[in-house]
Amino acid sequence: QVHLVESGGGSVQSGGSLTLSCVASGSFYTIYEMGWYRQSPGKQRELVADVNIHGDFKRYSDAVKGRFTISRDNSKNAVYLQMNNLNVEDTAVYYCYAHYLSGYWGQGTQVTVSS
């Protein structure tokens, strides 16, 4: 079992920055992939970014490439999402995801960007 807790969401003006954090707890050795997804009202949940177990392979959606940076700290069982130059289209609930034998989701954290 893996329990994920996100933090760092909030409200920011367009052009601003936020950093999301997600910490995993539970019974596991080392989590494989970790990542961030987001979901806006009326839209499907979509991948924002993910990172492999070693932190040396990262994927980004085209919408956030160049603005967001994902990183992880295996010593803290944590994954982070640095979000810069936010725009209103980034408004969504952001979910942390972890894969360890099965997939696990956090409860989500709201990010609201105003113009």
Side-chain angles (χ1 to χ4, degrees):
Q1 278 290 84
V2 178
H3 182 60
L4 302 171
V5 177
E6 302 110 331
S7 60
S11 297
V12 65
Q13 287 193 325
S14 182
S17 298
L18 284 173
T19 299
L20 304 182
S21 301
C22 172
V23 178
S25 61
S27 301
F28 54 84
Y29 178 58
T30 302
I31 295 174
Y32 306 142
E33 289 80 25
M34 299 189 78
W36 293 92
Y37 286 70
R38 67 186 183 186
Q39 188 167 20
S40 315
K43 294 187 178 181
Q44 288 188 329
R45 192 172 296 189
E46 62 177 2
L47 172 70
V48 176
D50 61 12
V51 56
N52 70 342
I53 187 171
H54 301 297
D56 56 359
F57 183 77
K58 304 174 182 179
R59 294 189 303 171
Y60 295 93
S61 70
D62 288 341
V64 308
K65 201 171 296 183
R67 299 187 298 122
F68 292 10
T69 302
I70 190 169
S71 60
R72 66 185 289 172
D73 184 341
N74 289 341
S75 68
K76 298 180 180 178
N77 297 314
V79 64
Y80 309 97
L81 187 68
Q82 173 67 42
M83 305 184 293
N84 297 327
N85 194 21
L86 286 159
N87 57 58
V88 295
E89 288 75 27
D90 296 317
T91 296
V93 177
Y94 284 70
Y95 296 91
C96 178
Y97 172 82
H99 180 242
Y100 178 74
L101 303 180
S102 181
Y104 297 88
W105 295 94
Q107 81 286 354
T109 185
Q110 177 71 46
V111 171
T112 302
V113 185
S114 58
S115 59

